[in-house]
Amino acid sequence: MSIPTELIGSIPRPKTVLDALAENAAGTLDDAGLAAVLDDAVADTIRQLEAAGSPVVTDGEQSKPSFVSYPLNNLPLAPDGAVIPFADGHTRTLPRLTAGPFRYGAHASTYLTTARRHASVPVKQAVIAPSALSLIYPASGIEGYSQAQFLDDLVDGAEADIRSSLDGGADSVQLDFTEGRLSLKLDPSGGLLDSFVDLNNRVLERFSDEERARIGVHTCPGGDQDSVHSLDVDYVELLPKLFRLKAGRFYLQLASESDPRRVLAAVAEHSSADQRIFVGVTDPIDPRVETAEEVRDRVLAAAEFIPVSRLGTCDDCGFSPFADDVSTSREVAFAKVAARVRGTALAAEALGV
């Protein structure tokens, strides 16, 4: 396909996985039994993605408790960290680090290894952006472990997380940066967003130009239980600073925007010639499956602003970033993936590429 198309990451977990996670937590299913169920779910997810025509796949995050929390195993944590409110009234609470040093408890490359064993096409790997993990450090500080020390450890860990995936054969590595737009809601001055961009760039600057061409950043206004946390924040306020990130690929939520052409104009203004733009053409929160023709038309609209040589497509967000989110079915998710693939191919044909 001449216009690349990729999913963001997560696919809803089947009931077998949710049941197995609950049984493992209750002590009625051992770790080996849980691992077998998760491996089956990864294999089935990749099989269905390939059947939908996806030229690049992920493991669907079947084994991750959430897109953000996988590195936090075996850390000293309290449950009362930063609270993220969603538009429908529900919240997600991040853990709070209680002691140092900070070390990644798991790296995303372990998920990549499993996925590559089952896949016959390239595999991308999603990782959490260091800016998101920075939120686990408490505002009151930690005695004997300064925020500066924490950030140094976090940068080292994030580099290792990305590098191990690149070295492990990932087609690309995608940093999930959903807190970017949210930061402007928490701090309209933009200071928090500046600090997030600077922190992420401390990591990205450790990679070569060739490596950064394989590293992408995903941004969206959140997506959990069919709700969002920052869709009411003007996207155009985020984009100039977003494109300061030293990454080669950007995966942008767009299908759920009320005025996508205004956003695309800002993308064209602020992105650079060496940045590939993947535009969201399916909305995981909308239960209706888009038609291939709708996807085609969204791609053609994007091509009015972004050169086709720099254009790609994606879903707006993951379909189930948190394991317990069952608001979207697996069947709907795979149908939307198939529509995205077919619609992108239709657009490429219309554009003659």
PDB file of all heavy atoms in Angstrom, residues 239 243 262-272 277 302 304-307 310:
ATOM      1  N   LEU A 239      -0.648  21.773  18.848  1.00  0.00           N
ATOM      2  CA  LEU A 239       0.159  21.323  17.716  1.00  0.00           C
ATOM      3  C   LEU A 239       1.503  22.031  17.548  1.00  0.00           C
ATOM      4  O   LEU A 239       2.513  21.360  17.252  1.00  0.00           O
ATOM      5  CB  LEU A 239      -0.668  21.442  16.432  1.00  0.00           C
ATOM      6  CG  LEU A 239      -1.853  20.464  16.355  1.00  0.00           C
ATOM      7  CD1 LEU A 239      -2.700  20.744  15.129  1.00  0.00           C
ATOM      8  CD2 LEU A 239      -1.367  19.016  16.351  1.00  0.00           C
ATOM      9  N   PHE A 243       4.913  19.424  17.609  1.00  0.00           N
ATOM     10  CA  PHE A 243       5.858  19.171  16.529  1.00  0.00           C
ATOM     11  C   PHE A 243       7.278  19.612  16.855  1.00  0.00           C
ATOM     12  O   PHE A 243       8.178  19.456  16.030  1.00  0.00           O
ATOM     13  CB  PHE A 243       5.363  19.817  15.235  1.00  0.00           C
ATOM     14  CG  PHE A 243       4.167  19.111  14.649  1.00  0.00           C
ATOM     15  CD1 PHE A 243       2.947  19.757  14.536  1.00  0.00           C
ATOM     16  CD2 PHE A 243       4.254  17.791  14.246  1.00  0.00           C
ATOM     17  CE1 PHE A 243       1.842  19.104  14.011  1.00  0.00           C
ATOM     18  CE2 PHE A 243       3.164  17.129  13.729  1.00  0.00           C
ATOM     19  CZ  PHE A 243       1.949  17.788  13.606  1.00  0.00           C
ATOM     20  N   ARG A 262      -9.532  22.673   9.949  1.00  0.00           N
ATOM     21  CA  ARG A 262      -8.789  23.667  10.729  1.00  0.00           C
ATOM     22  C   ARG A 262      -7.570  23.025  11.366  1.00  0.00           C
ATOM     23  O   ARG A 262      -6.476  23.631  11.399  1.00  0.00           O
ATOM     24  CB  ARG A 262      -9.704  24.269  11.792  1.00  0.00           C
ATOM     25  CG  ARG A 262      -9.045  25.273  12.723  1.00  0.00           C
ATOM     26  CD  ARG A 262     -10.076  25.943  13.614  1.00  0.00           C
ATOM     27  NE  ARG A 262      -9.457  26.833  14.576  1.00  0.00           N
ATOM     28  CZ  ARG A 262      -9.104  26.479  15.821  1.00  0.00           C
ATOM     29  NH1 ARG A 262      -9.356  25.230  16.236  1.00  0.00           N
ATOM     30  NH2 ARG A 262      -8.546  27.346  16.636  1.00  0.00           N
ATOM     31  N   VAL A 263      -7.725  21.822  11.887  1.00  0.00           N
ATOM     32  CA  VAL A 263      -6.600  21.112  12.491  1.00  0.00           C
ATOM     33  C   VAL A 263      -5.555  20.777  11.426  1.00  0.00           C
ATOM     34  O   VAL A 263      -4.352  20.953  11.642  1.00  0.00           O
ATOM     35  CB  VAL A 263      -7.088  19.839  13.201  1.00  0.00           C
ATOM     36  CG1 VAL A 263      -5.907  19.039  13.745  1.00  0.00           C
ATOM     37  CG2 VAL A 263      -8.059  20.190  14.324  1.00  0.00           C
ATOM     38  N   LEU A 264      -5.989  20.300  10.280  1.00  0.00           N
ATOM     39  CA  LEU A 264      -5.057  19.953   9.211  1.00  0.00           C
ATOM     40  C   LEU A 264      -4.265  21.165   8.740  1.00  0.00           C
ATOM     41  O   LEU A 264      -3.072  21.052   8.427  1.00  0.00           O
ATOM     42  CB  LEU A 264      -5.819  19.332   8.035  1.00  0.00           C
ATOM     43  CG  LEU A 264      -6.302  17.894   8.260  1.00  0.00           C
ATOM     44  CD1 LEU A 264      -7.356  17.520   7.218  1.00  0.00           C
ATOM     45  CD2 LEU A 264      -5.128  16.921   8.211  1.00  0.00           C
ATOM     46  N   ALA A 265      -4.902  22.336   8.699  1.00  0.00           N
ATOM     47  CA  ALA A 265      -4.178  23.551   8.324  1.00  0.00           C
ATOM     48  C   ALA A 265      -3.068  23.848   9.325  1.00  0.00           C
ATOM     49  O   ALA A 265      -1.958  24.256   8.950  1.00  0.00           O
ATOM     50  CB  ALA A 265      -5.143  24.725   8.230  1.00  0.00           C
ATOM     51  N   ALA A 266      -3.348  23.621  10.615  1.00  0.00           N
ATOM     52  CA  ALA A 266      -2.322  23.841  11.636  1.00  0.00           C
ATOM     53  C   ALA A 266      -1.211  22.802  11.524  1.00  0.00           C
ATOM     54  O   ALA A 266      -0.033  23.109  11.733  1.00  0.00           O
ATOM     55  CB  ALA A 266      -2.959  23.798  13.017  1.00  0.00           C
ATOM     56  N   VAL A 267      -1.569  21.564  11.206  1.00  0.00           N
ATOM     57  CA  VAL A 267      -0.556  20.522  10.997  1.00  0.00           C
ATOM     58  C   VAL A 267       0.368  20.926   9.855  1.00  0.00           C
ATOM     59  O   VAL A 267       1.600  20.818   9.961  1.00  0.00           O
ATOM     60  CB  VAL A 267      -1.222  19.168  10.707  1.00  0.00           C
ATOM     61  CG1 VAL A 267      -0.175  18.137  10.287  1.00  0.00           C
ATOM     62  CG2 VAL A 267      -1.997  18.667  11.922  1.00  0.00           C
ATOM     63  N   ALA A 268      -0.218  21.376   8.767  1.00  0.00           N
ATOM     64  CA  ALA A 268       0.588  21.783   7.611  1.00  0.00           C
ATOM     65  C   ALA A 268       1.515  22.947   7.963  1.00  0.00           C
ATOM     66  O   ALA A 268       2.660  23.007   7.495  1.00  0.00           O
ATOM     67  CB  ALA A 268      -0.334  22.175   6.458  1.00  0.00           C
ATOM     68  N   GLU A 269       1.039  23.837   8.816  1.00  0.00           N
ATOM     69  CA  GLU A 269       1.838  25.010   9.177  1.00  0.00           C
ATOM     70  C   GLU A 269       3.003  24.654  10.099  1.00  0.00           C
ATOM     71  O   GLU A 269       4.104  25.194   9.952  1.00  0.00           O
ATOM     72  CB  GLU A 269       0.952  26.045   9.859  1.00  0.00           C
ATOM     73  CG  GLU A 269       1.691  27.296  10.323  1.00  0.00           C
ATOM     74  CD  GLU A 269       0.806  28.307  11.033  1.00  0.00           C
ATOM     75  OE1 GLU A 269      -0.416  28.060  11.134  1.00  0.00           O
ATOM     76  OE2 GLU A 269       1.354  29.340  11.486  1.00  0.00           O
ATOM     77  N   HIS A 270       2.774  23.766  11.031  1.00  0.00           N
ATOM     78  CA  HIS A 270       3.748  23.574  12.105  1.00  0.00           C
ATOM     79  C   HIS A 270       4.604  22.315  11.972  1.00  0.00           C
ATOM     80  O   HIS A 270       5.655  22.226  12.618  1.00  0.00           O
ATOM     81  CB  HIS A 270       3.027  23.558  13.455  1.00  0.00           C
ATOM     82  CG  HIS A 270       2.366  24.864  13.783  1.00  0.00           C
ATOM     83  ND1 HIS A 270       3.077  26.000  14.098  1.00  0.00           N
ATOM     84  CD2 HIS A 270       1.052  25.210  13.816  1.00  0.00           C
ATOM     85  CE1 HIS A 270       2.241  26.997  14.331  1.00  0.00           C
ATOM     86  NE2 HIS A 270       1.011  26.548  14.165  1.00  0.00           N
ATOM     87  N   SER A 271       4.200  21.341  11.183  1.00  0.00           N
ATOM     88  CA  SER A 271       5.028  20.147  11.027  1.00  0.00           C
ATOM     89  C   SER A 271       6.127  20.420  10.003  1.00  0.00           C
ATOM     90  O   SER A 271       6.046  21.354   9.210  1.00  0.00           O
ATOM     91  CB  SER A 271       4.177  18.952  10.595  1.00  0.00           C
ATOM     92  OG  SER A 271       3.584  19.180   9.325  1.00  0.00           O
ATOM     93  N   SER A 272       7.153  19.581  10.039  1.00  0.00           N
ATOM     94  CA  SER A 272       8.294  19.780   9.145  1.00  0.00           C
ATOM     95  C   SER A 272       8.352  18.684   8.093  1.00  0.00           C
ATOM     96  O   SER A 272       7.698  17.639   8.210  1.00  0.00           O
ATOM     97  CB  SER A 272       9.595  19.817   9.946  1.00  0.00           C
ATOM     98  OG  SER A 272       9.792  18.600  10.627  1.00  0.00           O
ATOM     99  N   ILE A 277       2.997  12.176   8.901  1.00  0.00           N
ATOM    100  CA  ILE A 277       1.779  12.440   9.655  1.00  0.00           C
ATOM    101  C   ILE A 277       0.758  11.337   9.392  1.00  0.00           C
ATOM    102  O   ILE A 277       0.284  11.172   8.264  1.00  0.00           O
ATOM    103  CB  ILE A 277       1.162  13.803   9.275  1.00  0.00           C
ATOM    104  CG1 ILE A 277       2.219  14.921   9.329  1.00  0.00           C
ATOM    105  CG2 ILE A 277      -0.023  14.104  10.181  1.00  0.00           C
ATOM    106  CD1 ILE A 277       2.855  15.126  10.684  1.00  0.00           C
ATOM    107  N   ALA A 302      -7.226  15.108   3.992  1.00  0.00           N
ATOM    108  CA  ALA A 302      -5.906  15.316   4.588  1.00  0.00           C
ATOM    109  C   ALA A 302      -4.853  15.590   3.523  1.00  0.00           C
ATOM    110  O   ALA A 302      -3.927  16.388   3.726  1.00  0.00           O
ATOM    111  CB  ALA A 302      -5.516  14.102   5.423  1.00  0.00           C
ATOM    112  N   GLU A 304      -5.105  17.266   0.953  1.00  0.00           N
ATOM    113  CA  GLU A 304      -5.137  18.659   0.517  1.00  0.00           C
ATOM    114  C   GLU A 304      -4.164  19.520   1.319  1.00  0.00           C
ATOM    115  O   GLU A 304      -3.779  20.607   0.891  1.00  0.00           O
ATOM    116  CB  GLU A 304      -6.546  19.231   0.658  1.00  0.00           C
ATOM    117  CG  GLU A 304      -7.591  18.568  -0.234  1.00  0.00           C
ATOM    118  CD  GLU A 304      -8.978  19.170  -0.022  1.00  0.00           C
ATOM    119  OE1 GLU A 304      -9.054  20.383   0.242  1.00  0.00           O
ATOM    120  OE2 GLU A 304      -9.968  18.414  -0.089  1.00  0.00           O
ATOM    121  N   PHE A 305      -3.763  19.039   2.499  1.00  0.00           N
ATOM    122  CA  PHE A 305      -2.905  19.820   3.381  1.00  0.00           C
ATOM    123  C   PHE A 305      -1.523  19.194   3.575  1.00  0.00           C
ATOM    124  O   PHE A 305      -0.553  19.911   3.843  1.00  0.00           O
ATOM    125  CB  PHE A 305      -3.574  19.952   4.759  1.00  0.00           C
ATOM    126  CG  PHE A 305      -4.882  20.691   4.744  1.00  0.00           C
ATOM    127  CD1 PHE A 305      -6.075  20.034   4.476  1.00  0.00           C
ATOM    128  CD2 PHE A 305      -4.909  22.060   4.995  1.00  0.00           C
ATOM    129  CE1 PHE A 305      -7.280  20.725   4.474  1.00  0.00           C
ATOM    130  CE2 PHE A 305      -6.106  22.756   4.986  1.00  0.00           C
ATOM    131  CZ  PHE A 305      -7.297  22.086   4.717  1.00  0.00           C
ATOM    132  N   ILE A 306      -1.445  17.866   3.482  1.00  0.00           N
ATOM    133  CA  ILE A 306      -0.205  17.156   3.763  1.00  0.00           C
ATOM    134  C   ILE A 306       0.229  16.419   2.496  1.00  0.00           C
ATOM    135  O   ILE A 306      -0.575  15.687   1.909  1.00  0.00           O
ATOM    136  CB  ILE A 306      -0.407  16.142   4.900  1.00  0.00           C
ATOM    137  CG1 ILE A 306      -0.916  16.848   6.159  1.00  0.00           C
ATOM    138  CG2 ILE A 306       0.882  15.375   5.203  1.00  0.00           C
ATOM    139  CD1 ILE A 306      -1.464  15.896   7.201  1.00  0.00           C
ATOM    140  N   PRO A 307       1.472  16.589   2.028  1.00  0.00           N
ATOM    141  CA  PRO A 307       1.915  15.855   0.843  1.00  0.00           C
ATOM    142  C   PRO A 307       1.730  14.352   1.035  1.00  0.00           C
ATOM    143  O   PRO A 307       1.981  13.818   2.114  1.00  0.00           O
ATOM    144  CB  PRO A 307       3.395  16.228   0.737  1.00  0.00           C
ATOM    145  CG  PRO A 307       3.524  17.529   1.455  1.00  0.00           C
ATOM    146  CD  PRO A 307       2.526  17.473   2.572  1.00  0.00           C
ATOM    147  N   ARG A 310       4.205  12.182   2.722  1.00  0.00           N
ATOM    148  CA  ARG A 310       4.358  12.275   4.179  1.00  0.00           C
ATOM    149  C   ARG A 310       3.110  11.813   4.917  1.00  0.00           C
ATOM    150  O   ARG A 310       3.027  11.913   6.141  1.00  0.00           O
ATOM    151  CB  ARG A 310       4.644  13.724   4.595  1.00  0.00           C
ATOM    152  CG  ARG A 310       5.980  14.280   4.134  1.00  0.00           C
ATOM    153  CD  ARG A 310       6.093  15.756   4.507  1.00  0.00           C
ATOM    154  NE  ARG A 310       5.755  15.970   5.909  1.00  0.00           N
ATOM    155  CZ  ARG A 310       5.145  17.071   6.375  1.00  0.00           C
ATOM    156  NH1 ARG A 310       4.783  18.031   5.532  1.00  0.00           N
ATOM    157  NH2 ARG A 310       4.890  17.195   7.660  1.00  0.00           N
TER     158      ARG A 310
END
